[in-house]
């Protein structure tokens, strides 16, 4: 009776805290996106990338490397919300499909979630095992999945039609 009510109250409180933190991140990111677009930073980024003279594949590889690096340090939702307003116009300018890029970015963010030093899923694993597994052991256990995700990103980068094939057949 009383114990269940206390546990339920704690559960509700934890849910409210987590949802509030996520919504604060989303609101701040939308504000940041508004400021960036108002200042013209997104247009300047598209123009700057165009002036580099790189091939679309080289730009895409640079974006992938940037996301993998940032994913090692920044939480996934924050990373996606804060960077997509700048990166998506570049992707469109290069002629890539935004749906394909959405699939690709989700995979890259998943790589960040299992990459040390701030891979959130690694911390979850350590927490679930109540300290029986160290962060280094969790990272080594996640390494095969990290490699498979990188192979998947490479395949999607070389063969982008894979990500949009099924939706095109369904329509």
């Amino acid at each position: 009776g009383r114990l269940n009510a206390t546990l339920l109250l704690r559960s509700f409180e934890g849910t409210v805290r987590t949802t509030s933190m996520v919504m604060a991140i989303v609101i701040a990111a939308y504000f940041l996106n508004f400021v960036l677009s108002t200042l013209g930073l997104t247009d300047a980024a598209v123009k700057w990338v165009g002036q580099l003279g790189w091939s679309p594949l080289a730009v895409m590889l640079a974006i992938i490397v940037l996301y993998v690096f940032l994913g090692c340090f920044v939480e996934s939702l924050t990373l996606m919300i804060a960077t997509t307003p700048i990166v998506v116009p570049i992707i469109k300018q290069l002629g890539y499909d935004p749906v394909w890029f959405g699939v690709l970015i989700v995979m890259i963010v998943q790589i960040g979630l299992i990459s040390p030093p701030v891979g959130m899923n690694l911390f979850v694993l350590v927490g679930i095992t109540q300290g029986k597994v160290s962060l280094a052991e969790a990272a080594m256990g996640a390494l095969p999945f990290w490699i498979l995700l990188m192979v998947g990103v490479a395949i999607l980068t070389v063969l982008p039609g894979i990500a949009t094939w099924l939706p095109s057949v369904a329509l």
Side-chain angles (χ1 to χ4, degrees):
R2 198 169 200 51
L3 180 62
N4 288 338
T6 303
L7 291 176
L8 189 60
L9 185 61
R10 283 188 195 165
S11 174
F12 286 151
E13 181 183 346
T15 302
V16 168
R17 285 178 190 258
T18 304
T19 303
S20 299
M21 287 188 305
V22 168
M23 291 310 296
I25 291 169
V26 169
I27 290 169
Y30 278 118
F31 179 71
L32 174 67
N33 296 340
F34 172 75
V35 170
L36 292 178
S37 63
T38 302
L39 293 175
L41 186 64
T42 54
D43 294 333
V46 170
K47 188 176 179 180
W48 177 74
V49 168
Q51 291 173 348
L52 287 175
W54 292 3
S55 72
L57 182 60
V59 173
M60 182 52 60
L61 291 176
I63 290 171
I64 290 169
V65 168
L66 176 70
Y67 268 101
V68 169
F69 176 74
L70 289 175
C72 292
F73 302 101
V74 181
E75 189 267 328
S76 59
L77 179 64
T78 307
L79 178 62
M80 286 193 305
I81 291 175
T83 60
T84 52
I86 296 170
V87 175
V88 168
I90 294 170
I91 296 301
K92 287 181 180 177
Q93 182 72 24
L94 294 172
Y96 287 110
D97 185 351
V99 173
W100 164 79
F101 182 69
V103 172
L104 190 71
I105 200 71
V106 167
M107 289 181 69
I108 295 169
V109 165
Q110 295 307 310
I111 291 169
L113 287 174
I114 59 173
S115 298
V118 187
M120 296 299 258
N121 287 354
L122 299 178
F123 285 109
V124 169
L125 180 62
V126 170
I128 288 173
T129 62
Q130 298 176 349
K132 294 177 185 170
V133 173
S134 70
L135 187 61
E137 290 171 323
M140 288 306 294
L143 183 61
F145 299 100
W146 190 91
I147 292 169
L148 285 174
L149 280 167
M150 288 300 283
V151 168
V153 166
I155 290 170
L156 274 177
T157 301
V158 174
L159 303 169
I162 292 174
T164 56
W165 172 77
L166 187 58
S168 70
V169 172
L171 299 176

